[in-house]
Amino acid sequence: MQLPTLPPSLLPALKHVMRPLVRLMLKKGVTYTRFADLLKEIFVDVAEREFRLDDKPPTDSRISLLTGVHRKDVRRLRAKAVGRAAGPSEDFSFGAHLVSVWLNNSPFCERPGRPLPLDRLASIGGQCSFDGLVAQVSKDIRARVVLDEWLRLGIVRMDDQDRVLLETMAFIPTRGFDEKAAYFQHNLHDHASAAVHNLTEDGAPFFERSVHYDSLSSTGVDQLREAVSAEGMQVLIGFNQLAAELEARDAPNPNARQRITIGLYFYTEPNPSAVPNPTTASSS
């Protein structure tokens, strides 16, 4: 088997991409040894799942050749069946769905994108209550449990009329590392998957665009940050409303369902060595 030629630009790109991830690991106590063990599992799992010939599982020897992982380790890791691809957690999916219903579905919103304050109890607000909202999405989860957790995470707040007010236009916890890590896992994975597809696959690329400047003042950056927060959120709300309408109008066969992720991000850092550049827009 002939291995593909390594593009000379790939390793420098990977080195640059890994820097913020290594920064996170060092801040949270993940050592090189621990991450190397994890990376070995991922190499073996991806090779086993995505590099098959004629849809047959590859042998230990072929995985070892593809990955550079010793055959003894390949055999051990496959026997453990670790590193399986994981989707969003149930809490993540439930929370995102619940906020989407609140934002887009009657009687919980004034109009799509304008969520109403909800009476906490169904005994007061009837169907148009937080109890009613949770019951519409799941009969197995108590509304009080969801409310307590969402208050802790800063997703909702209570007013003096015992009504529940949505504090965010998406299920994005402001507190709680585990909850934020679920979004980190989901969003970064899907962004990276789109970028890797565009680098390696033929056919139509996924949409992936960015605008970047390197000679802005801190005042200009603050103004852009506010514009992205306000206007970018409106763009995402519009996509959310369209997705909700399409999901309700064009329900697919259960075996043909697809998921999507649409993202928007903003980042800034000091750039003391920048050379003034009028404007740069790039795409992958």
Side-chain angles (χ1 to χ4, degrees):
M1 180 183 65
Q2 184 177 0
L3 295 177
T5 303
L6 180 65
S9 59
L10 181 57
L11 288 181
L14 289 172
K15 181 179 179 180
H16 188 68
V17 168
M18 286 298 301
R19 293 189 71 87
L21 299 180
V22 171
R23 186 185 310 131
L24 171 65
M25 286 184 268
L26 292 178
K27 284 186 175 182
K28 297 301 179 182
V30 179
T31 64
Y32 166 76
T33 302
R34 190 168 184 179
F35 181 65
D37 289 340
L38 177 64
L39 200 58
K40 192 181 294 184
E41 295 177 6
I42 298 169
F43 265 79
V44 170
D45 187 62
V46 171
E48 180 177 12
R49 287 172 168 266
E50 301 183 24
F51 288 81
R52 299 186 171 200
L53 297 175
D54 300 324
D55 203 31
K56 296 178 180 178
T59 64
D60 292 349
S61 295
R62 183 166 186 268
I63 291 180
S64 180
L65 180 62
L66 279 171
T67 64
V69 177
H70 195 281
R71 192 165 53 183
K72 289 183 179 178
D73 288 331
V74 171
R75 186 164 54 251
R76 172 178 59 83
L77 292 170
R78 296 181 85 179
K80 287 175 60 179
V82 295
R84 297 307 186 194
S89 68
E90 290 185 8
D91 289 343
F92 172 90
S93 300
F94 174 79
H97 187 194
L98 201 60
V99 169
S100 180
V101 171
W102 195 346
L103 282 169
N104 295 292
N105 292 54
S106 176
F108 308 109
C109 63
E110 180 181 340
R111 63 176 185 271
R114 293 291 298 273
L116 291 168
L118 301 179
D119 289 310
R120 180 170 63 87
L121 300 174
S123 59
I124 298 175
Q127 183 183 0
C128 189
S129 62
F130 193 76
D131 283 351
L133 172 67
V134 175
Q136 179 162 319
V137 176
S138 173
K139 305 294 185 184
D140 300 324
I141 301 178
R142 292 177 55 238
R144 184 72 222 191
V145 174
V146 178
L147 179 60
D148 289 344
E149 181 66 5
W150 280 19
L151 287 169
R152 182 183 73 84
L153 295 174
I155 296 168
V156 296
R157 66 178 175 87
M158 303 297 300
D159 67 8
D160 55 6
Q161 301 176 53
D162 200 34
R163 297 183 304 177
V164 187
L165 280 67
L166 186 62
E167 285 287 272
T168 177
M169 299 301 281
F171 182 70
I172 304 175
T174 58
R175 298 185 291 272
F177 182 83
D178 290 346
E179 293 77 14
K180 290 180 180 180
Y183 268 87
F184 169 83
Q185 169 185 318
H186 181 273
N187 293 341
L188 205 57
H189 170 274
D190 283 5
H191 190 172
S193 294
V196 169
H197 171 92
N198 293 347
L199 275 175
T200 60
E201 304 295 333
D202 296 327
F206 287 111
F207 186 87
E208 190 202 7
R209 300 290 185 270
S210 65
V211 174
H212 46 90
Y213 283 66
D214 58 16
S215 299
L216 284 163
S217 68
S218 58
T219 301
V221 168
D222 288 343
Q223 187 172 344
L224 279 166
R225 189 197 308 270
E226 293 176 5
V228 170
S229 179
E231 298 174 29
M233 195 66 219
Q234 290 304 311
V235 170
L236 291 178
I237 289 171
F239 287 139
N240 180 65
Q241 292 170 3
L242 176 58
E245 292 170 7
L246 293 171
E247 187 177 60
R249 188 175 72 215
D250 186 26
N253 183 292
N255 296 324
R257 293 185 300 180
Q258 297 193 49
R259 69 177 187 87
I260 65 157
T261 298
I262 302 170
L264 182 71
Y265 68 93
F266 175 89
Y267 180 71
T268 183
E269 67 179 9
N271 192 19
S273 60
V275 177
N277 187 359
T279 180
T280 307
S282 71
S283 64
S284 296

